[in-house]
Amino acid sequence: MEIIVVPNPDAVGEFAAHRISTLIEQKPDAVLGVATGSSPVPTYEALERTVRDGLDVSRVNAFALDEYVGLREGHPQSYAEVVRRDVTERLGLDPDRVHVPSGHADDVPAACVDYERQIREAGGVDLQILGIGSNGHIGFNEPSSSLSGRTRVKTLTPKTRADNARFFDDDLSQVPTHCITQGIGTILDAGVALLVATGESKADAVAAMAEGPVGAFCPATALQWHRRAVVVVDEAAASRLKNREYYDFVRDNRPEWQL
Ligand code: F6R
């Protein structure tokens, strides 16, 4: 796991966006895995600037990580809508190339299986953008999730529902109890896993993910098994890392030829 500590959320966004735009330059029809929530917003903002400066994203494909189950179609906090606003429209992606699991399908389990098929048929995810929950979830793979699971329905923990109530007028009763999420197994299949985290509220989860033992109680620890996991964090989110000096040394002594 490569751990890059930068001063603030904007620098996290700049760093992550540079990795993503470099991939798109090399592979214009790249398949991105996109996260929602607040963590990747500075990344999407920085990427938007690169697109304005001429990066061609017309052939880029995107697959969302997860979706709530039970919100009406078009609900402003459904991830279909968040992805449309924060990713598709902001970056100017082709909407036909952007996919979000269907949280209101008649047969939700079948929609999960179909989502895995769509990812496979697109050739797999080249780079998966991830945030991390304060309880160590990635996607909505909550503590105790299978570390080899695929896209499926999960029950959100009270902690995640409380954390996300801010998107629902601070009204916990409006936060769905269930979701569809790519599994850890799906996420581990991505060519690169690029996790961004900012703020002190993520410091414990980041330390557990990077330096704790691998286990289902912090599902993000599964990224220790990923061949190309890149973790970009600001000072606050990095504040409980024990091995910080080493990470900074690696960052500052990166060979020129290494992406
Ligand atoms: C979002 C997702 C979640 C979030 C995590 C952090 O698609 O899968 O894992 O990345 O809950 O959310 P924020 O960034 O809002 O703190």
Side-chain angles (χ1 to χ4, degrees), residues 34-40 65-66 79 130-134 137-140 160 164 166-167 181 202:
V34 292
T36 52
S38 39
S39 308
L65 260 180
D66 40 22
Y79 285 171
L130 296 163
I132 184 170
S134 60
H137 71 217
I138 48 173
F140 275 140
T160 296
N164 286 7
R166 68 191 195 281
F167 296 116
T181 183
K202 300 294 173 70

Side-chain angles (χ1 to χ4, degrees), residues 234-249:
D234 68 356
E235 287 288 348
S239 58
R240 301 209 184 108
L241 288 168
K242 295 194 187 76
N243 219 5
R244 169 69 192 273
E245 259 177 57
Y246 175 68
Y247 309 139
D248 289 353
F249 183 82

